[in-house]
Amino acid sequence: MADRSVTIVGAGLAGSEAALRLSRAGVAVDLYEMRPAKLTPAHRSGRFAELVCSNSLGSGELTSGKGLLKEELRILGSALLPIAEASRVPAGKALAVDREEFGRRVTEAVRSRPDIRVHEEEVKEIPGDPLVILACGPLASDAIASAIRDILGDDGFYFYDAISPIVDAETIDPEASFVGDRYGVGTGDYLNLPMDRGRYEAFLSALLTAKTVALRAFEEPRYFEGCMPVEEIARRGPDTLLFGPLRPVGLRDPRTGRIPHAVVQLRKENAAGTMYNLVGFQTRLTYPEQKRVFSLIPGLSSAGYFRYGSVHRNSFLDARRHLHPWMESRSRAGLFFAGQITGVEGYVESIASGLVAAVSAVLRSAGKDPRPFPRESMIGALMERITTPGPDRAQPMNANFGLLPDGTVRRKRDRKERKAEVALAAARRAAEWDGAMGASKGG
């Protein structure tokens, strides 16, 4: 007889998505979460699906990788995307959320399901139950991380994910800023702090000479390009920031009519607009140095910080050797992984991996074999990418159109038109797959 219960370790984005998906499919869940009794270096509460880096889930446009991934998740009945929509704050074309509201809503949704039993305790060993989803996150406790290494037979890999500072909106000088979105698209959701060449060069000099937090003996920085600390970007050359987080393209200052030499963008952290995130300013600078260096940015000379930037180790396994595309262990049937620990990079990508693991576990619980999502879909292409063996060192991967197979649709001259057609084809493929699999979304 097929087992009709699943044990999930971790109530982050992936674990919460998986738990709700399984519950809606009529599968009982035992969900283990060590917080708030034991916090990670980055988490601050016991709320499920707590966001610890940015509050943005990325672009909502279908012609972006993350936008297409969101559309596929909607088609497939994601539980967390509607919650994110209900918790959103203005951010132009991006889906950004009020962190506390989002975490509260996810926690309530999970705890309200009678067939999800929540256990507030740390799991130190991999459960021996027939069906298990390890969604313990890239900041897994030392005990469970050691247990995972033991079952994998090696030390795996890790990278560093830096957190951007959050400033008090009332302490930002409004005279030094202008409101606007890049290329004028959006509803004025970003606060822009322009710099002339002199201010930029002074800031760059201070940034390059600032003190950073020393790495511990066991730590080796292997940064993911999409979350590179701002000081590491600056070390690559004097103009690299101008093509990265400080790029001024599409941001014309309405007060001068000109595009500044450099622009620092701030994005709302909550619906009330009392907090702003320094976009792209992930950092390893010490707290005093952050206050000193960032005070050189126009408008932030007297800024008060709700949270300084910090860095933490994010561990992830080599999915190319250890996982099938449906997120099941190659060495132990019934053991699934989900979230950033699998090597997906990003919030929406973590949600997607949780959905994939849950759908696969539903099939296993019914005595059926899981199978990959179609590689013509963004979900399938992403899962295939992180699980396909290759000669290079494993690296985290986010959703992007480069993952989709060549020849998905006929060639078009207009790049945006071509991406739109690719996106629609991928979304249709996801819908067809969902209908063919019959993996219940439940109610």
Side-chain angles (χ1 to χ4, degrees), residues 244-322:
L246 273 72
R247 69 186 185 279
V249 177
L251 293 169
R252 190 176 300 276
D253 190 336
R255 300 167 302 180
T256 65
R258 297 191 300 270
I259 294 177
H261 184 74
V263 175
V264 175
Q265 282 199 300
L266 278 63
R267 181 178 57 231
K268 288 181 180 179
E269 270 290 315
N270 59 354
T274 59
M275 301 185 293
Y276 276 86
N277 184 297
L278 273 68
V279 178
F281 267 63
Q282 304 91 344
T283 183
R284 281 203 307 114
L285 299 187
T286 63
Y287 289 178
E289 289 288 72
Q290 288 182 51
K291 188 171 182 63
R292 179 182 70 85
V293 175
F294 298 159
S295 70
L296 299 176
I297 299 172
L300 299 185
S301 59
S302 302
Y305 291 82
F306 286 124
R307 183 190 72 188
Y308 283 104
S310 64
V311 68
H312 52 273
R313 193 184 80 172
N314 276 2
S315 301
F316 68 100
L317 55 84
D318 186 356
R320 304 173 307 170
R321 290 186 288 149
H322 299 299

Side-chain angles (χ1 to χ4, degrees), residues 93-357:
K93 294 182 178 180
L95 172 58
V97 301
D98 183 314
R99 296 171 193 260
E100 293 190 6
E101 179 70 10
F102 177 69
R104 181 186 66 78
R105 286 175 180 266
V106 173
T107 304
E108 289 179 354
V110 172
R111 289 187 179 276
S112 68
R113 303 292 296 198
D115 48 0
I116 300 178
R117 298 177 291 268
V118 177
H119 307 268
E120 295 180 350
E121 59 184 271
E122 179 185 1
V123 174
K124 298 183 178 181
E125 299 288 342
I126 297 176
D129 305 303
L131 296 174
V132 176
I133 297 176
L134 292 179
C136 40
L139 297 176
S141 69
D142 290 342
I144 192 67
S146 178
I148 292 172
R149 284 196 297 270
D150 288 343
I151 196 172
L152 297 181
D154 59 38
D155 291 333
F157 300 98
Y158 57 88
F159 70 106
Y160 289 83
D161 192 12
I163 295 175
S164 298
I166 297 175
V167 298
D168 183 346
E170 292 187 353
T171 64
I172 302 170
D173 182 2
E175 298 298 321
S177 66
F178 66 91
V179 175
D181 302 285
R182 202 174 297 277
Y183 299 109
V185 177
T187 56
D189 302 322
Y190 291 84
L191 197 60
N192 302 283
L193 307 178
M195 290 185 182
D196 58 24
R197 181 183 292 274
R199 294 292 293 269
Y200 171 75
E201 291 178 350
F203 167 76
L204 179 64
S205 176
L207 181 64
L208 290 172
T209 57
K211 295 179 181 178
T212 58
V213 176
L215 295 173
R216 289 172 288 182
F218 64 87
E219 294 179 327
E220 177 186 352
R222 294 175 183 168
Y223 300 114
F224 175 52
E225 290 292 326
C227 208
M228 182 76 66
V230 66
E231 63 273 12
E232 294 296 327
I233 299 174
R235 290 191 180 99
R236 295 182 173 186
D239 294 332
T240 51
L241 289 175
L242 300 178
F243 294 92
L246 273 72
R247 69 186 185 279
V249 177
L251 293 169
R252 190 176 300 276
D253 190 336
R255 300 167 302 180
T256 65
R258 297 191 300 270
I259 294 177
H261 184 74
V263 175
V264 175
Q265 282 199 300
L266 278 63
R267 181 178 57 231
K268 288 181 180 179
E269 270 290 315
N270 59 354
T274 59
M275 301 185 293
Y276 276 86
N277 184 297
L278 273 68
V279 178
F281 267 63
Q282 304 91 344
T283 183
R284 281 203 307 114
L285 299 187
T286 63
Y287 289 178
E289 289 288 72
Q290 288 182 51
K291 188 171 182 63
R292 179 182 70 85
V293 175
F294 298 159
S295 70
L296 299 176
I297 299 172
L300 299 185
S301 59
S302 302
Y305 291 82
F306 286 124
R307 183 190 72 188
Y308 283 104
S310 64
V311 68
H312 52 273
R313 193 184 80 172
N314 276 2
S315 301
F316 68 100
L317 55 84
D318 186 356
R320 304 173 307 170
R321 290 186 288 149
H322 299 299
L323 298 184
H324 292 292
W326 51 90
M327 298 292 98
E328 188 174 31
S329 169
R330 294 180 184 268
S331 60
R332 175 179 155 182
L335 173 62
F336 300 88
F337 289 81
Q340 283 187 252
I341 198 168
T342 67
V344 296
E345 171 63 22
Y347 292 151
V348 182
E349 290 84 345
S350 293
I351 293 172
S353 71
L355 185 145
V356 171

Side-chain angles (χ1 to χ4, degrees), residues 64-66 68 349 378 381-382 397-404:
S64 72
K66 290 182 184 292
L68 173 56
E349 290 84 345
M378 184 59 74
L382 177 61
M397 180 56 63
N398 54 15
N400 63 84
F401 274 82
L403 299 176
L404 295 174

